[in-house]
Amino acid sequence: MPYRRLPNTDLSRIAAMKRITEMGGVKHNDMPVISLRIAQEVASVLSKFQKAQKMYQQNYDAFIKLNKTFKVETQNAKMYISHFIQVMNLSILRGELKKEIKTGYGLDPASNTVPDLSNEQNILDWGEKIIKGEQARIMKGGVPVYNPTIAKVKVHYDIFADHLFSIRMYRDNVSHTLEDITNMRPAVDDIILDIWNQVEQTFEELPFAEKIEKCKSFGLIYYFRDSEKAKLKAEKMQNSLEF
């Protein structure tokens, strides 16, 4: 027999199962090649697999759409937090502010280094510390830092923080739904393989060319070697001459 390859994408798996359900009840020598019971079982697996695939695609599309703007929002929040800290450090170096105030922001008074803002959680944590620290200092009568003001920092931080919750939710949903699909694939492949084996066995006694055509009608996918192509061509020519 030619080389036979099982579906290797989710869409091709779905197509294979659809074909199997469509062929349920088709007979050979007065016997169903695929019993209605098996076809119904495949239809049940197909329904669950399609549902999982649809849920994954919906979450993935929503994540991609939101992530386009979220990247910009993340960069803006990071930039304003970093800029605020740098301006505050410059004010301290000029003697306009005392370095001891930095403890109220969670910063080391002995260091002028901007904290690590390379990931979402750090931006979230440091943004909260900086905003609360500046607001508390102003409430005590301290001179606000300008360019940017903490109000401007807070605007971009709030946008980032609000959308971070959504992006994490969609990211988790994509991960979970992909895991569901991944876990289902082996069972889907097994049932397709089992039925394809049954189909081939059913048509085993037929001539090579006829057997191939019958099996292909049930969704089997073949890849022919040169010798098999020649055999298939010869049988088709013979059938044509006999006709």
Side-chain angles (χ1 to χ4, degrees), residues 8-28:
N8 58 2
T9 68
D10 290 336
L11 291 179
S12 60
R13 288 181 177 94
I14 289 171
M17 287 191 288
K18 282 184 176 180
R19 189 58 180 162
I20 289 169
T21 59
E22 291 169 358
M23 299 301 284
V26 173
K27 295 182 177 180
H28 176 67

Side-chain angles (χ1 to χ4, degrees), residues 14-183:
I14 289 171
M17 287 191 288
K18 282 184 176 180
R19 189 58 180 162
I20 289 169
T21 59
E22 291 169 358
M23 299 301 284
V26 173
K27 295 182 177 180
H28 176 67
N29 294 335
D30 295 325
M31 292 294 293
V33 179
I34 301 172
S35 71
L36 290 176
R37 179 185 62 80
I38 292 177
Q40 288 170 354
E41 289 179 3
V42 174
S44 176
V45 173
L46 171 62
S47 177
K48 293 176 183 177
F49 194 69
Q50 283 183 302
K51 183 178 180 180
Q53 180 70 24
K54 183 177 180 180
M55 287 295 295
Y56 166 75
Q57 195 62 52
Q58 287 176 343
N59 282 291
Y60 179 78
D61 290 344
F63 170 75
I64 292 299
K65 182 178 180 180
L66 181 59
N67 197 47
K68 289 179 180 178
T69 56
F70 183 69
K71 286 181 179 179
V72 176
E73 293 161 358
T74 300
Q75 186 60 37
N76 285 341
K78 176 180 177 180
M79 178 180 66
Y80 273 90
I81 293 167
S82 175
H83 192 192
F84 180 90
I85 295 172
Q86 292 177 60
V87 170
M88 182 173 62
N89 284 335
L90 288 173
S91 297
I92 292 171
L93 289 174
R94 291 194 297 264
E96 298 168 1
L97 297 171
K98 294 181 179 181
K99 66 179 182 179
E100 287 75 18
I101 69 167
K102 296 176 74 173
T103 58
Y105 302 82
L107 296 166
D108 181 2
S111 172
N112 289 327
T113 303
V114 175
D116 177 21
L117 300 173
S118 62
N119 61 64
E120 296 167 354
Q121 191 59 49
N122 283 3
I123 295 173
L124 190 68
D125 293 342
W126 279 109
E128 182 179 13
K129 290 177 183 178
I130 297 303
I131 291 168
K132 286 184 177 180
E134 178 71 355
Q135 289 175 337
R137 191 176 64 82
I138 293 173
M139 287 288 291
K140 294 177 181 178
V143 178
V145 172
Y146 289 97
N147 296 322
T149 63
I150 201 62
K152 189 71 172 179
V153 174
K154 190 174 187 303
V155 167
H156 289 282
Y157 174 82
D158 286 346
I159 293 173
F160 161 77
D162 288 345
H163 285 179
L164 178 60
F165 173 81
S166 297
I167 206 77
R168 284 178 170 175
M169 179 187 71
Y170 282 121
R171 192 180 290 154
D172 287 344
N173 288 345
V174 168
S175 178
H176 292 154
T177 52
L178 180 58
E179 184 178 358
D180 290 341
I181 294 171
T182 301
N183 290 337

